[in-house]
Amino acid sequence: KAGVTQTPRYLIKTRGQQVTLSCSPISGHRSVSWYQQTPGQGLQFLFEYFSETQRNKGNFPGRFSGRQFSNSRSEMNVSTLELGDSALYLCASSPYGQGYGYTFGSGTRLTVV
Amino acid sequence: SQQGEEDPQALSIQEGENATMNCSYKTSINNLQWYRQNSGRGLVHLILIRSNEREKHSGRLRVTLDTSKKSSSLLITASRAADTASYFCAPQDGGSQGNLIFGKGTKLSVKP
């Protein structure tokens, strides 16, 4: 059974640009969550999608957005990048979310210069 | 959803020793999950314990849950250098349909 696949693994972008990260969940998993991890703030929840609907949202500015497709694949987009957006972005999938463990991908390391 | 608070923040032990990490939370939960993260990589799900369970085992891992004290502990027996990682707990309450809120974790260092 394939795991959670995140692409790309590494990314370097310039301030002001936008970026799209992709996440392919485990087949059959309908819940996909996104997290940002930085040394200073730790692991912070961005948002969770279930059956193409955003079900939960963390405390991030509107520059951070996401979506989920009918095949459960998910993308997150960050517009107008800032230096502080440099982080490891983790995607996790679960069959339904509540009451089930999450399987995490290896993450996308984003560096904003 | 609520955040768990792990304690201690850091733990350093010798290979072969046991490691115990604790997690406290604030309000009633449906389940509590433990995850491990090796440096700079994704998290790995270790154990999910439901609110009506008191103890759960998985290999060298033992998790206990005390809902009256709103706390959980993770015991790793006979630690190995490969257990060196950060460990996070994530309580899930009825209001959290699908998100986990992580604390700062416990950084475990197992010295060979």
Side-chain angles (χ1 to χ4, degrees):
Chain A
K1 190 163 159 179
V4 177
T5 304
Q6 288 189 248
T7 56
R9 288 295 309 275
Y10 301 93
L11 205 48
I12 299 176
K13 288 285 189 180
T14 305
R15 259 183 311 177
Q17 287 187 312
Q18 74 162 19
V19 66
T20 299
L21 311 182
S22 179
C23 172
S24 293
I26 288 176
S27 178
H29 283 193
R30 295 164 64 185
S31 170
V32 174
S33 293
W34 289 89
Y35 293 84
Q36 181 198 65
Q37 187 174 33
T38 59
Q41 298 297 318
L43 270 164
Q44 293 187 281
F45 170 72
L46 279 156
F47 26 65
E48 186 238 356
Y49 286 87
F50 182 82
S51 293
E52 301 179 68
T53 300
Q54 187 180 86
R55 201 161 60 166
N56 290 288
K57 190 176 190 308
N59 191 24
F60 276 81
R63 299 185 297 107
F64 291 82
S65 63
R67 58 178 175 167
Q68 186 180 33
F69 301 96
S70 57
N71 62 357
S72 290
R73 192 177 72 83
S74 178
E75 288 180 347
M76 68 161 279
N77 184 277
V78 188
S79 63
T80 319
L81 283 165
E82 301 176 0
L83 295 179
D85 297 333
S86 294
L88 179 66
Y89 289 87
L90 294 165
C91 164
S93 78
S94 168
Y96 297 103
Q98 169 69 254
Y100 292 82
Y102 276 83
T103 303
F104 280 76
S106 297
T108 293
R109 173 77 61 186
L110 171 66
T111 303
V112 182
V113 298
Chain B
S1 206
Q2 60 180 300
Q3 179 176 316
E5 202 167 307
E6 297 90 351
D7 175 70
Q9 288 188 13
L11 182 60
S12 183
I13 60 173
Q14 294 293 132
E15 229 174 8
E17 293 180 338
N18 294 344
T20 300
M21 287 156 259
N22 302 298
C23 169
S24 59
Y25 55 91
K26 291 190 166 57
T27 61
S28 61
I29 58 172
N30 286 349
N31 69 79
L32 186 141
Q33 305 180 30
W34 284 92
Y35 289 81
R36 181 188 77 226
Q37 185 181 33
N38 293 90
S39 183
R41 309 188 68 172
L43 281 74
V44 174
H45 179 252
L46 297 176
I47 284 185
L48 182 153
I49 186 164
R50 301 193 190 280
S51 59
N52 60 352
E53 297 174 309
R54 290 297 166 257
E55 191 171 307
K56 213 159 177 182
H57 296 254
S58 176
R60 295 182 295 112
L61 306 181
R62 173 180 164 243
V63 166
T64 59
L65 179 64
D66 187 334
T67 53
S68 66
K69 293 181 180 175
K70 293 187 174 55
S71 67
S72 174
S73 67
L74 169 66
L75 167 68
I76 304 173
T77 59
S79 297
R80 305 167 181 166
D83 294 326
T84 294
S86 290
Y87 292 81
F88 299 89
C89 70
Q92 263 196 332
D93 53 40
S96 60
Q97 290 170 299
N99 59 299
L100 301 174
I101 307 296
F102 294 98
K104 298 199 181 301
T106 291
K107 198 162 187 173
L108 173 66
S109 176
V110 182
K111 299 185 189 314

